[in-house]
Amino acid sequence: MYEWFDAYCMAKPGVTRDFKAEWGWYRYFVGGKFFAAAGRNEEGEIFFLTLRCEPDFNQFLRQNFQAIAPGFYSNKELWNTVWFSLEKIPERDRLASAPPLFPPDELVREMTDRSYHIMVGKLTKKVRAQLFLDEK
């Protein structure tokens, strides 16, 4: 599911990635600012994505896709986690009233773009220019 995610993130200007072994997370940064995570299980498979979006958009997503829950180990207002299995969603984060649906690829791409742009907006002009993120 969402096999394209890593290549999609890494194709964005200024993006770097690391692996936090103790968490089992691939973390994606722009200008040193964290904008996405992909959690890996014991078998090495990615089983969730965590992305930052606007609070109202986050609520809309959670109400319309059961696979989207408040951010796993993150600020639950600002971050969402897209789970690849509904059974893996922590009980405290489940919204049973949401339809048991997974978001389509296009929506996860939009969430990724929003997260990236939110964090680019937090960079200084100088850093954006160094990363070729500002228009000339």
Side-chain angles (χ1 to χ4, degrees):
M1 186 176 280
Y2 312 117
E3 295 83 13
W4 49 264
F5 182 78
D6 181 73
Y8 189 74
C9 287
M10 294 306 296
K12 294 184 172 304
V15 170
T16 59
R17 173 189 62 212
D18 73 8
F19 182 71
K20 183 102 168 145
E22 56 270 27
W23 297 353
W25 288 20
Y26 290 100
R27 301 180 307 168
Y28 299 84
F29 301 86
V30 59
K33 301 255 185 218
F34 171 70
F35 79 93
R40 194 173 77 171
N41 63 20
E42 297 79 30
E43 293 80 39
E45 302 166 322
I46 302 298
F47 71 102
F48 74 77
L49 305 175
T50 297
L51 299 158
R52 182 172 178 162
C53 292
E54 304 82 0
D56 290 343
F57 188 58
N58 284 340
Q59 287 301 323
F60 168 80
L61 295 170
R62 294 172 195 171
Q63 291 166 358
N64 288 282
F65 299 93
Q66 201 173 91
I68 300 178
F72 186 58
Y73 285 107
S74 8
N75 180 314
K76 302 207 180 292
E77 182 182 353
L78 302 176
W79 295 83
N80 272 341
T81 295
V82 179
W83 294 91
F84 293 18
S85 168
L86 298 178
E87 294 77 35
K88 299 276 187 195
I89 302 171
E91 192 64 39
R92 71 182 180 279
D93 293 336
R94 292 175 192 253
L95 184 57
S97 62
L101 300 173
F102 294 89
D105 287 359
E106 302 80 40
L107 182 56
V108 176
R109 281 186 184 93
E110 179 183 349
M111 292 170 68
T112 304
D113 292 344
R114 285 177 181 234
S115 188
Y116 174 82
H117 289 294
I118 287 168
M119 300 321 276
V120 165
K122 295 182 177 298
L123 300 173
T124 65
K125 271 186 144 180
K126 181 179 179 182
V127 171
R128 283 195 307 266
Q130 289 171 340
L131 297 172
F132 308 106
L133 298 171
D134 271 343
E135 301 280 330
K136 300 222 178 195

